[in-house]
Amino acid sequence: MTDQAGEAMTPLVKNAASRPPAASLRRRVRPQSRWWTVWLFLLPALLLFLYFKFIPMFAGIQMSFQKVRPFLGNEWVGWSNYAAVLNDSRFHDAIVHTLILGFGQSIGAVIGGLVLALLLEGASKTLWFVRTAAFLPVVTATAVIGEVWRIIYFPAPNGFLNSAIGSLGLDPVRWLEDPAVALYSVMAVGIWQGAPYNMVIFLAGLAGVDRSLYEASAIDGAKLRHRLWYVTLPALRPAMTIVLVLAAVRSLRVFTDVWVLTGGGPAGATDVWMTRIYSLGFERNQMGIASAASILLLIASIALTALALLITRKRAEK
């Protein structure tokens, strides 16, 4: 009898053993039941992005192939707008100015941010005030910064900066009115504004550096410059990559500080990609050509970002 009962219970025990536990069932059901919950929470943001970003973007792509004629209906012109942009000599000058300005601002802001981070890195409680003061240009409106620097760059001999260089025996400079100097004056403002932003990223990178490496290198007799070159900079390589990519992409879209300081002048000496688009679209009413220039800027930004990521990935694989 006992053997028969045992034989009868054996399949039940086997079924119970082969049955997945309730917890694992919940784990299997949970991801399937939650995927729509995630999208439900994302839906408001996606709708905002769709309405205010992606639909205007697709409208801009469509306008880049049209001759925009308000109240008369747009006319399809194919690639003519792109040809007009690429054959425009003023647009060529604007690209050159954008590259010079972007390269100078990116390198200057990276070096400035690194120097600020090395000077202000530490656990001292009094450093927060200096860090906050250094970060102020980032949170200040660019239009305000532009007006402040227009006062600093006042071309009269008693202007703020001209008074400073006058004390050194130098002649006054027309910082924003001289075509040979204006672009570099705008570049200095961009470096001054971008360096504190990079400083924050470098400070986060410095916080992750293993302190025992500094102690070991100091015991081995390494000097300060050796510790900086062989310990600090290699540890900051990921932060450096992020900063360079952000600075390069941001430099292509520079507009407000150039427009507030010089308006693209004098004589087009500071005319950059974005100010050229603005002039074409809103001053000469050539919205189709301006849309084509905007699409080219978008393609250049994507290509630059992809190139930077490719270089970073190859270095990481080494």
Side-chain angles (χ1 to χ4, degrees):
M1 184 70 182
T2 305
D3 295 339
Q4 293 176 354
E7 292 175 357
M9 291 180 63
T10 301
L12 295 176
V13 173
K14 288 181 178 178
N15 291 335
S18 61
R19 191 181 305 158
S24 64
L25 279 177
R26 282 197 298 271
R27 283 196 296 270
R28 288 182 187 177
V29 172
R30 229 176 246 169
Q32 296 177 356
S33 62
R34 282 186 175 180
W35 71 268
W36 59 268
T37 308
V38 174
W39 287 104
L40 189 62
F41 279 104
L42 290 174
L43 186 60
L46 291 176
L47 289 176
L48 289 176
F49 273 111
L50 178 67
Y51 190 77
F52 291 105
K53 195 166 188 177
F54 293 110
I55 290 178
M57 185 184 299
F58 285 114
I61 294 174
Q62 184 181 13
M63 288 169 61
S64 69
F65 293 100
Q66 295 175 334
K67 181 179 181 181
V68 179
R69 300 183 304 175
F71 309 110
L72 297 176
N74 298 340
E75 179 184 349
W76 181 265
V77 293
W79 296 95
S80 299
N81 289 332
Y82 289 92
V85 171
L86 297 176
N87 293 324
D88 185 1
S89 60
R90 293 192 62 181
F91 190 76
H92 297 165
D93 295 338
I95 292 177
V96 173
H97 297 156
T98 303
L99 293 177
I100 295 174
L101 193 63
F103 181 79
Q105 283 187 350
S106 301
I107 299 299
V110 168
I111 295 175
L114 180 61
V115 172
L116 284 174
L118 292 174
L119 292 175
L120 301 180
E121 192 259 346
S124 175
K125 293 183 179 178
T126 56
L127 285 176
W128 71 268
F129 177 77
V130 184
R131 289 174 187 163
T132 304
F135 195 71
L136 275 180
V138 180
V139 298
T140 307
T142 307
V144 176
I145 291 176
E147 289 301 325
V148 170
W149 276 92
R150 284 180 65 85
I151 297 173
I152 295 174
Y153 282 147
F154 192 67
N158 60 350
F160 183 84
L161 196 53
N162 280 336
S163 299
I165 65 173
S167 62
L168 301 175
L170 300 176
D171 295 330
V173 178
R174 301 171 68 225
W175 301 99
L176 299 177
E177 289 78 14
D178 188 347
V181 181
L183 187 64
Y184 301 101
S185 301
V186 175
M187 187 187 297
V189 177
I191 294 172
W192 180 80
Q193 189 180 14
Y197 181 83
N198 297 335
M199 176 195 72
V200 175
I201 299 177
F202 283 132
L203 283 174
L206 287 172
V209 179
D210 189 357
R211 301 294 164 181
S212 62
L213 296 177
Y214 290 118
E215 298 172 1
S217 58
I219 293 173
D220 291 339
K223 296 181 179 178
L224 179 61
R225 66 174 184 275
H226 295 144
R227 293 199 295 270
L228 179 64
W229 185 258
Y230 292 106
V231 178
T232 305
L233 291 182
L236 287 178
R237 188 174 296 169
M240 190 79 72
T241 303
I242 294 172
V243 166
L244 282 174
V245 172
L246 292 177
V249 174
R250 191 169 54 239
S251 63
L252 288 178
R253 296 182 289 112
V254 61
F255 173 75
T256 308
D257 43 358
V258 175
W259 195 254
V260 172
L261 285 169
T262 63
T270 59
D271 200 12
V272 293
W273 202 324
M274 285 294 294
T275 56
R276 187 66 186 150
I277 291 173
Y278 182 87
S279 299
L280 288 171
F282 297 101
E283 292 181 348
R284 299 174 60 180
N285 199 23
Q286 296 178 340
M287 293 300 294
I289 299 177
S291 299
S294 302
I295 299 303
L296 291 176
L297 176 60
L298 174 65
I299 294 172
S301 301
I302 294 174
L304 184 62
T305 306
L307 179 64
L309 293 177
L310 182 64
I311 294 174
T312 306
R313 186 172 299 177
K314 284 189 175 181
R315 285 185 178 179
E317 290 175 355
K318 291 180 181 178

